[in-house]
Amino acid sequence: MSKTSSRPTNDIAVGKRLILAPQSAGRIGKSTAAEAIVTWCDFAAIDAAVFDLDDEHQTLSQRYPEIATVFPEAVKNDEGWARFMDGVSQIEVPLILCDLPAQSTAFLLKQLTERNGLNLLAASGIRLTALIFPVDDTAARESAIECVKLLGGRVDWLVIRQPGPKSLIDPEQWAKSSMGLRLKELSVGEFLLPQMTRFAFEEIDRVVQLEGRRLSICEAIPKVGLVAQFELEMWRNFALTGCEDVARLLIPDLALVQKKTTRLQAPEIYQRPKGPVFEL
């Protein structure tokens, strides 16, 4: 029997990045974070492909039909995953983004380890970047621990801090935790996305109803009301600067970046005053 599938692959140059969020938890912002990456790719003129493997929501494929492929079969059985991997290995773009359904961690980890998926990716010149969300939720924490334990330094890690329906773990608590310390050993990247209000999403939905089609966040910006515009513009700026700062984890070569964002002045951080009330 041939054993070529287990051969060392460390000497193979990285020509593409596959980016996905392996945590099995819903409502932690995976699709919004994926949209931030697509937004940056569009701005920086980086060719990208999207695989939407979520059978239920299909958020990215509806917002970016020109670059997205819907293939939920990939996370249903070995046959579907093999066909997905074949497609990933043949696409000639530097960045491949994969949006997974919420409860796919066990299947994904089995494909990457037991069925030799990581070595297959490496042999194809593809390096995997896994997104991690430090959400204060039992299922999300347990899933993140399982992923980091099993994949460790065989992939790159990117922490996305994005307030949402589920609160985030305090940054200091996260840094001191075994998870935070382990990821620090692995030279993890990290960036912040601001919280988006329900009002802003309602404004996007209003425009979607008027136009009869799904819109990306950036498409919606000039069409929503002024308050929502300011909020979505802030989100877009964080998305562009955040992705630009961790570009080494998103693309195989920084020379691919055709356009860099103009850095806006950082917003003021509110801190409650200490001492006498009227002491300036």
Side-chain angles (χ1 to χ4, degrees):
M1 179 182 294
S2 172
K3 296 184 179 180
T4 55
S5 61
S6 299
R7 66 187 183 278
T9 53
N10 294 334
D11 58 342
I12 297 178
V14 176
K16 310 176 199 174
R17 282 273 182 181
L18 174 63
I19 303 164
L20 51 80
Q23 275 171 285
S24 278
R27 298 174 62 79
I28 61 175
K30 292 189 288 187
S31 292
T32 306
E35 180 155 6
I37 295 172
V38 177
T39 298
W40 175 69
C41 287
D42 183 58
F43 172 84
I46 295 169
D47 289 335
V50 172
F51 279 92
D52 198 334
L53 309 187
D54 193 333
D55 201 8
E56 182 179 356
H57 297 104
Q58 298 184 5
T59 302
L60 290 184
S61 58
Q62 292 181 12
R63 292 180 179 176
Y64 301 97
E66 66 281 359
I67 62 171
T69 299
V70 180
F71 195 63
E73 294 81 3
V75 292
K76 291 183 177 179
N77 50 52
D78 295 344
E79 175 76 20
W81 182 262
R83 294 185 183 278
F84 165 67
M85 292 289 276
D86 183 61
V88 165
S89 65
Q90 294 190 51
I91 291 178
E92 295 300 325
V93 294
L95 188 153
I96 304 166
L97 184 63
C98 179
D99 196 16
L100 294 162
Q103 303 302 322
S104 56
T105 298
F107 177 85
L108 174 66
L109 293 179
K110 173 185 175 183
Q111 296 297 330
L112 292 177
T113 57
E114 181 180 325
R115 293 187 61 81
N116 216 21
L118 285 176
N119 278 349
L120 175 59
L121 288 173
S124 301
I126 301 172
R127 178 74 174 176
L128 177 62
T129 295
L131 309 182
I132 288 288
F133 298 79
V135 175
D136 193 7
D137 172 84
T138 301
R141 287 198 304 270
E142 291 178 350
S143 181
I145 291 169
E146 182 183 9
C147 292
V148 173
K149 276 186 175 180
L150 198 59
L151 301 179
R154 302 179 69 189
V155 306
D156 291 319
W157 299 94
L158 177 57
V159 175
I160 310 292
R161 299 193 63 85
Q162 178 174 264
K166 297 179 180 179
S167 59
L168 296 176
I169 298 173
D170 178 78
E172 291 187 9
Q173 181 184 352
W174 172 261
K176 295 176 181 177
S177 69
S178 57
M179 171 68 78
L181 293 172
R182 175 59 176 145
L183 288 175
K184 185 177 180 180
E185 292 176 0
L186 299 173
S187 300
V188 66
E190 181 173 338
F191 77 86
L192 169 71
L193 285 171
Q195 184 169 10
M196 294 176 63
T197 63
R198 182 177 295 276
F199 172 75
F201 281 116
E202 289 174 351
E203 276 288 282
I204 295 175
D205 289 340
R206 179 182 63 80
V207 176
V208 166
Q209 292 298 321
L210 287 174
E211 299 209 0
R213 65 184 182 92
R214 293 294 291 269
L215 299 174
S216 68
I217 291 175
C218 289
E219 280 184 295
I221 288 175
K223 301 178 181 182
V224 298
L226 185 61
V227 174
Q229 278 186 28
F230 269 65
E231 182 174 328
L232 298 183
E233 283 283 9
M234 180 177 66
W235 178 90
R236 181 177 183 270
N237 185 61
F238 271 79
L240 296 181
T241 55
C243 288
E244 189 173 281
D245 288 342
V246 296
R248 64 182 177 83
L249 300 174
L250 301 176
I251 51 177
D253 184 355
L254 296 181
L256 294 170
V257 177
Q258 299 298 307
K259 183 179 180 182
K260 293 189 176 182
T261 184
T262 301
R263 301 282 169 143
L264 302 179
Q265 182 177 352
E268 297 180 33
I269 304 299
Y270 170 71
Q271 294 181 336
R272 296 195 66 179
K274 299 178 180 179
V277 175
F278 296 104
E279 183 178 310
L280 298 178

